[in-house]
Amino acid sequence: YEKYAPAEAKVFDFCGGYGGRLLGALVNKKVASYTAMEVNYKSYAGLTDLHKQVELVGKVSKKVVIFNQDSLKGMKQFSDKEFDLCFTSPPYFDAEDYDDSPAQSSKTFPMYGEWMDKYLLPCVLEASRISKTVLINIANTGPYPIADDLRKEMQKANMLISEDKLI
């Protein structure tokens, strides 16, 4: 957030996950609001609880909206460039199995290529529509070259502007 968010940033996260990005947004002075999508109900409930606890204990009050819904469908409700920054870490196909729900992206699209073409790429493109800047935290995991494949697709679409690698 400190490097990429403008002052008073409206932040979006299409895969809310376990709460690290939410927590970072809550404590960063540049972030004015945080909106997330999280399809897994337990993770959604955890994010909601984390927000309440930080607000109560840390006396941090920011606008936070967390939707318990599919990210690709949920992003359709937002206007073009409604957010200053999208910062997310999508699931690593089936390497992160949050639950057995058919709503999980790897359950909806059980083949890696299908998941990439029908879930991850469309999510990144939709996030690019609703956000001025999009940051994706992703890596190659096990047999899946997720980061390499996403990089190639973003280059094809002339969308990859910069890449930071953490060692």
Side-chain angles (χ1 to χ4, degrees):
Y1 296 118
E2 202 56 39
K3 183 173 182 177
Y4 292 101
E8 297 297 312
K10 289 177 65 178
V11 173
F12 180 73
D13 185 349
F14 67 80
C15 292
Y18 292 128
R21 291 174 305 284
L22 167 60
L23 187 58
L26 287 170
V27 300
N28 190 287
K29 290 182 173 131
K30 292 174 80 178
V31 176
S33 68
Y34 174 88
T35 302
M37 299 281 166
E38 179 51 55
V39 72
N40 178 279
Y41 184 77
K42 287 182 182 177
S43 294
Y44 160 78
L47 290 167
T48 302
D49 187 54
L50 176 63
H51 171 235
K52 289 176 185 172
Q53 293 298 321
V54 170
E55 200 169 49
L56 180 69
V57 175
K59 295 181 178 32
V60 174
S61 182
K62 291 187 182 187
K63 181 179 178 189
V64 172
V65 180
I66 304 167
F67 296 92
N68 181 216
Q69 68 184 121
D70 175 82
S71 51
L72 189 54
K73 292 175 187 170
M75 283 190 274
K76 303 287 185 204
Q77 68 187 296
F78 300 115
S79 303
D80 291 358
K81 306 304 180 204
E82 185 169 333
F83 298 96
D84 298 301
L85 176 67
C86 171
F87 179 30
T88 196
S89 184
Y92 289 25
F93 183 49
D94 63 1
E96 296 179 333
D97 199 12
Y98 294 96
D99 67 15
D100 293 330
S101 166
Q104 294 295 302
S105 62
S106 63
K107 304 286 192 239
T108 305
F109 306 108
M111 302 298 293
Y112 171 73
E114 181 184 31
W115 175 83
M116 178 62 74
D117 293 341
K118 293 184 178 178
Y119 174 73
L120 186 57
L121 291 174
C123 279
V124 172
L125 292 173
E126 190 63 11
S128 298
R129 179 188 68 80
I130 68 172
S131 305
K132 295 171 188 164
T133 301
V134 178
L135 305 174
I136 307 292
N137 176 43
I138 196 101
N140 295 331
T141 303
Y144 307 114
I146 299 170
D148 294 342
D149 289 346
L150 184 60
R151 180 184 307 108
K152 286 176 196 169
E153 292 302 321
M154 295 299 95
Q155 287 171 335
K156 278 188 215 175
N158 290 320
M159 291 179 67
L160 186 64
I161 296 170
S162 68
E163 184 174 350
D164 290 338
K165 290 186 179 181
L166 301 177
I167 298 174

